[in-house]
Amino acid sequence: MHALESERNWIEISLDHFIENLRELRRFMPKEASFMQIVKADAYGHGAVEIAQVAIQEGASMVGVANAEEGKLLRLHGIDVPILILSPSLLEEIPSLLKYDLMPTVTERRFGKILGDVAKEKGKCVPIHVNIDTGMGRSGVNYEDSESFIADIQKIEGIYLDGIFTHYAASENDPAYSSVQLTRFKEFLSRLSELPRWIHIANSSGLLNCPDDVSNLFRIGLLSYGVYTDVSLSEKVHVKPVMTFKSRVSYVNLVRKGESVGYNRTYIAPKETRYAIVPVGYADGYDYLLSNKGTMLVHNILCPVIGKVSMDMTAIDVSSVTGIQPGDEVIVFGNDHREIRVDTLCQTYGGSPYELLCQTGRRARRFYFQKERIIKARPLARREFVSSDYDSGELSKVIEGAIGEKIGNREIARLIFSTVLQRLFQEESRPLFHRHEFYHRLSFSQPKDEKLAEEYFQIDTELSFKKHLQNDYFIIACASNEKELEAYFRREDVEYRWLLDGSLHLNDQTFAIRSVRVDDLDLNYESRVSETCLELTCTHEKLHQLVGKHVSFTINTRTYYPKASHQLTVYITGLTQGAEISVDYHQVVPSMDVIPFFLSGQPNIYREEGAIHLITPANEWLLPGSGVVFVF
Ligand SMILES: *Cc1c(COP(=O)(O)O)cnc(C)c1O
């Protein structure tokens, strides 16, 4: 998880405040009613995916977006409640509506007809909502002639009417006009013979100011983000800001009396004044109109903006802050302190809190807090994909998604991802060290011990490769069952693994080390044996000097293998570049077959009298899971 310390400016999103606000607002809804969380414009700059997820947990029946693209994003992130597109859709968006199962708002017969035709062709029936204009004067079907519109829409095959709504023009401060709109809407509804499942009217301030007895759904936006559309609303409900925009002092300086600060000399110091530069400008969303008007909070003291807000910097008067230093935290806005609440700040320059929230954070990372802990960090809103923006879990989703997009199948993408990539990274990101100049030779012979010789071959193995040395020790493991062996595959400190046949008793005779070397050091080894595994820890007092270096490993062992099994498999367990695997059987086995299974590249096979060599080019990469079966 990203640490805040490395950020110049950042956004904190309090999911606790969001949840508290939703619970406050729900108190105003009738018991049987539900709500639609409005998450258009990336949830007013709060992050559509995260906000939608929490709202759904809190009981949202639906989410509202501005267009098909926003809906698609939610679907790709697994949001599965109905998604309503609030604005009229374009004909060009129809394929997307169908593909991602999005509900459009229909305000034209022609659009409804074309949508229905396309849907029918695909064997679908798309739910739609109709927006009735009762005085908002924007989009929507005029309330006076909408009865016939509804009737016509209901006749179209391939679509069905799931909801009817209207929208207040000034629910935050014009109750008289809102009541005119409500009356018009109710009259219109009363003329319909049948109502669809959802009737909705109010946005968040409408919920508080304009109670009605017809709606069963509320479209909740700004108030849930803890910002008031009108000061009067703060008397009805207490909501807490969800977003806080923070930064750090990047520079502290003095301006002499009569000198100016910033472009066009709009601020002239009335006396010698200490000021700080905050690395936030209008490019970060801090509105240009806050020049000489805004206020920021440093060490809990209000500091006025002086001079013009620049593209990347803003100066604040810090004369009343003692001990200020570069690096000190600055609350740019959003916190519950009255003066720097988004709504208050917007009043100072006649701006819109909706706009200020939406435009914030163009250059800031977002951090989600729940119960005082960062639970998620979202990358910068870049246009280009930068893989290091993502933590490993998120990156895995991106990779899997990219494979899915490429092959058009999410299931197969998951399979490919888990078999190839998860195997390499073993569930998490870690440095991936590879082997090269890999050489593995197995020599079959008759055991000296006559009893063993009846049923077993003696197998001498020689293994050598070059690799980055990670620790001042490593482990060679021999297990007597697959499950134990599996555990050793997951460990990074194991360099060699062998599966001993279950008929043999595991000890340092049945699996013996003949020599272990790293470069020219002869390693010591200590063995630990249990019922099912023999673990050899290899060390040398000088080995620590080689940690982090590229070294040559040589591991020679002797073990036994049942004659009756007639086959022996050798795996390449790590990412390897260039390999030679050889088997030498001339003393004991009349003939041997070889079946290579290489996930990438194919080895050249050379046979000689009593020996086989599989060789891949020195620079060819081999994936783990590759190997060869020798059949005798
Ligand atoms: C944005 C929007 C809302 C949400 O309004 P708030 O004032 O943020 O609660 C509701 N309905 C429609 C149609 C909208 O476009």
Side-chain angles (χ1 to χ4, degrees):
M1 192 69 67
H2 248 278
L4 291 176
E5 288 76 56
S6 59
E7 304 300 318
R8 269 165 87 80
N9 53 67
W10 70 98
I11 289 172
E12 295 183 1
I13 303 286
S14 164
L15 294 174
D16 296 315
H17 285 184
F18 179 61
I19 291 170
E20 284 175 45
N21 295 343
L22 283 182
R23 292 182 183 170
E24 272 298 296
L25 293 170
R26 287 207 78 162
R27 297 197 298 117
F28 293 82
M29 299 176 200
K31 254 206 162 61
E32 21 358 296
S34 185
F35 71 102
M36 176 195 310
Q37 182 65 41
I38 305 298
V39 295
K40 63 197 185 203
D42 205 16
Y44 303 18
H46 294 70
V49 173
E50 292 76 12
I51 290 295
Q53 282 167 346
V54 175
I56 292 164
Q57 275 164 27
E58 288 296 306
S61 298
M62 219 180 268
V63 293
V65 296
N67 54 48
E69 193 57 34
E70 291 185 352
K72 166 182 165 182
L73 180 91
L74 294 176
R75 285 284 182 251
L76 291 177
H77 278 83
I79 301 296
D80 56 7
V81 299
I83 298 177
L84 180 66
I85 298 173
L86 301 160
S87 336
S89 294
L90 298 173
L91 288 173
E92 287 76 5
E93 290 172 295
I94 288 178
S96 223
L97 297 179
L98 288 163
K99 181 165 180 192
Y100 297 104
D101 210 359
L102 309 170
M103 280 194 294
T105 292
V106 176
T107 42
E108 282 179 317
R109 289 173 176 82
R110 177 163 169 265
F111 182 91
K113 181 78 179 78
I114 295 173
L115 173 65
D117 288 346
V118 180
K120 221 166 50 171
E121 228 169 77
K122 297 221 173 347
K124 290 194 175 178
C125 191
V126 177
I128 61 142
H129 284 217
V130 168
N131 176 13
I132 306 296
D133 186 356
T134 55
M136 170 70 189
R138 195 173 58 179
S139 58
V141 189
N142 190 289
Y143 70 102
E144 283 167 327
D145 46 48
S146 39
E147 261 175 273
S148 65
F149 181 84
I150 296 287
D152 291 346
I153 284 292
Q154 283 178 315
K155 280 188 211 120
I156 300 174
E157 288 176 50
I159 62 176
Y160 73 91
L161 188 64
D162 182 61
I164 298 181
F165 70 98
T166 190
H167 191 44
Y168 288 125
S171 58
E172 69 279 17
N173 55 18
D174 193 343
Y177 191 67
S178 303
S179 117
V180 169
Q181 285 191 269
L182 180 60
T183 306
R184 287 171 177 171
F185 191 58
K186 282 173 71 169
E187 271 170 22
F188 151 73
L189 290 178
S190 69
R191 293 196 297 270
L192 298 179
S193 55
E194 191 190 1
L195 293 184
R197 174 154 179 229
W198 298 112
I199 300 292
H200 44 116
I201 309 174
N203 59 348
S204 49
S205 44
L207 171 67
L208 304 191
N209 286 345
C210 324
D212 71 74
D213 54 3
V214 283
S215 45
N216 55 10
L217 191 69
F218 297 88
R219 301 186 304 272
I220 301 301
L222 195 69
L223 280 172
S224 65
Y225 301 114
V227 174
Y228 297 108
T229 19
D230 191 90
V231 274
S232 63
L233 291 166
S234 62
E235 288 153 24
K236 297 197 167 176
V237 67
H238 180 67
V239 290
K240 297 179 184 167
V242 175
M243 178 195 290
T244 305
F245 189 15
K246 292 188 176 176
S247 185
R248 284 179 209 291
V249 169
S250 62
Y251 180 60
V252 182
N253 203 3
L254 278 176
V255 55
R256 271 178 287 169
K257 180 178 175 184
E259 296 283 348
S260 61
V261 173
Y263 283 120
N264 309 113
R265 313 194 62 222
T266 60
Y267 176 84
I268 309 287
K271 58 177 177 30
E272 187 177 72
T273 305
R274 201 146 39 94
Y275 67 94
I277 295 297
V278 183
V280 161
Y282 53 79
D284 301 280
Y286 197 68
D287 210 288
Y288 182 67
L289 297 173
L290 284 160
S291 300
N292 287 308
K293 289 188 174 148
T295 315
M296 298 187 193
L297 203 60
V298 187
H299 296 192
N300 221 16
I301 292 169
L302 290 166
C303 304
V305 168
I306 54 173
K308 280 195 174 170
V309 173
S310 306
M311 190 182 284
D312 316 304
M313 288 183 256
T314 301
I316 53 173
D317 176 346
V318 293
S319 25
S320 29
V321 188
T322 48
I324 191 165
Q325 283 194 338
D328 286 359
E329 188 173 297
V330 178
I331 301 180
V332 179
F333 65 67
N335 159 301
D336 216 0
H337 195 296
R338 223 200 83 78
E339 296 301 314
I340 56 164
R341 285 186 56 99
V342 168
D343 24 46
T344 320
L345 215 53
C346 286
Q347 275 172 12
T348 65
Y349 70 97
S352 151
Y354 294 91
E355 185 190 25
L356 188 58
L357 289 174
C358 289
Q359 72 194 19
T360 298
R362 290 174 183 153
R363 272 198 300 209
R365 220 180 286 279
R366 256 183 230 146
F367 295 90
Y368 289 84
F369 282 75
Q370 202 157 14
K371 305 213 166 62
E372 326 238 310
R373 285 189 41 228
I374 298 178
I375 58 157
K376 193 168 178 187
R378 296 299 291 160
L380 297 178
R382 302 187 214 255
R383 282 189 180 270
E384 306 300 333
F385 174 74
V386 176
S387 54
S388 63
D389 280 357
Y390 295 84
D391 67 33
S392 72
E394 197 77 10
L395 195 57
S396 296
K397 273 193 234 150
V398 173
I399 299 169
E400 198 182 295
I403 301 173
E405 198 62 34
K406 180 106 184 152
I407 61 180
N409 185 323
R410 217 53 206 205
E411 298 274 303
I412 298 176
R414 194 160 306 140
L415 186 71
I416 292 176
F417 182 75
S418 60
T419 48
V420 180
L421 293 160
Q422 298 282 57
R423 178 173 295 172
L424 285 178
F425 294 107
Q426 296 183 355
E427 314 289 328
E428 61 193 277
S429 294
R430 60 176 173 120
L432 192 63
F433 298 112
H434 70 272
R435 296 169 166 185
H436 59 118
E437 295 178 39
F438 179 89
Y439 175 79
H440 196 181
R441 181 186 174 89
L442 307 168
S443 306
F444 285 62
S445 60
Q446 275 304 110
K448 297 260 163 8
D449 180 316
E450 275 180 30
K451 249 192 111 45
L452 269 175
E454 281 173 25
E455 287 181 38
Y456 299 94
F457 291 123
Q458 174 177 310
I459 300 203
D460 289 337
T461 73
E462 288 166 57
L463 175 72
S464 66
F465 55 85
K466 290 190 173 155
K467 194 186 170 188
H468 173 105
L469 182 68
Q470 295 174 68
N471 302 306
D472 60 357
Y473 75 94
F474 60 86
I475 286 174
I476 296 174
C478 180
S480 64
N481 67 51
E482 301 260 3
K483 205 164 153 259
E484 293 280 342
L485 192 74
E486 188 64 36
Y488 285 113
F489 275 112
R490 285 195 295 271
R491 277 176 60 170
E492 286 174 51
D493 57 357
V494 179
E495 290 298 347
Y496 187 62
R497 306 154 186 91
W498 186 264
L499 180 65
L500 194 74
D501 191 78
S503 63
L504 284 159
H505 182 65
L506 186 58
N507 58 37
D508 46 20
Q509 297 299 310
T510 50
F511 181 81
I513 291 204
R514 289 184 296 145
S515 70
V516 188
R517 298 168 66 81
V518 167
D519 286 352
D520 49 13
L521 300 178
D522 261 312
L523 270 51
N524 313 311
Y525 46 89
E526 216 174 277
S527 65
R528 219 166 48 94
V529 63
S530 73
E531 197 79 354
T532 49
C533 55
L534 174 67
E535 209 177 285
L536 297 137
T537 307
C538 308
T539 53
H540 191 283
E541 57 185 26
K542 288 194 182 146
L543 201 57
H544 70 273
Q545 294 169 0
L546 297 175
V547 171
K549 299 215 166 76
H550 225 79
V551 297
S552 294
F553 288 76
T554 313
I555 299 170
N556 294 337
T557 70
R558 171 166 296 167
T559 183
Y560 300 93
Y561 200 76
K563 292 180 173 172
S565 75
H566 297 292
Q567 60 176 42
L568 192 158
T569 307
V570 176
Y571 283 101
I572 289 180
T573 57
L575 196 58
T576 302
Q577 194 180 30
E580 173 170 351
I581 301 175
S582 294
V583 60
D584 185 344
Y585 58 89
H586 74 277
Q587 296 174 2
V588 284
V589 186
S591 78
M592 186 150 319
D593 264 333
V594 52
I595 306 166
F597 50 96
F598 279 58
L599 298 178
S600 54
Q602 285 307 316
N604 291 311
I605 302 176
Y606 304 96
R607 285 178 174 275
E608 343 166 40
E609 184 68 38
I612 305 173
H613 308 277
L614 291 93
I615 301 176
T616 67
N619 52 9
E620 186 151 303
W621 288 99
L622 305 176
L623 289 170
S626 299
V628 51
V629 191
F630 296 110
V631 185
F632 46 86

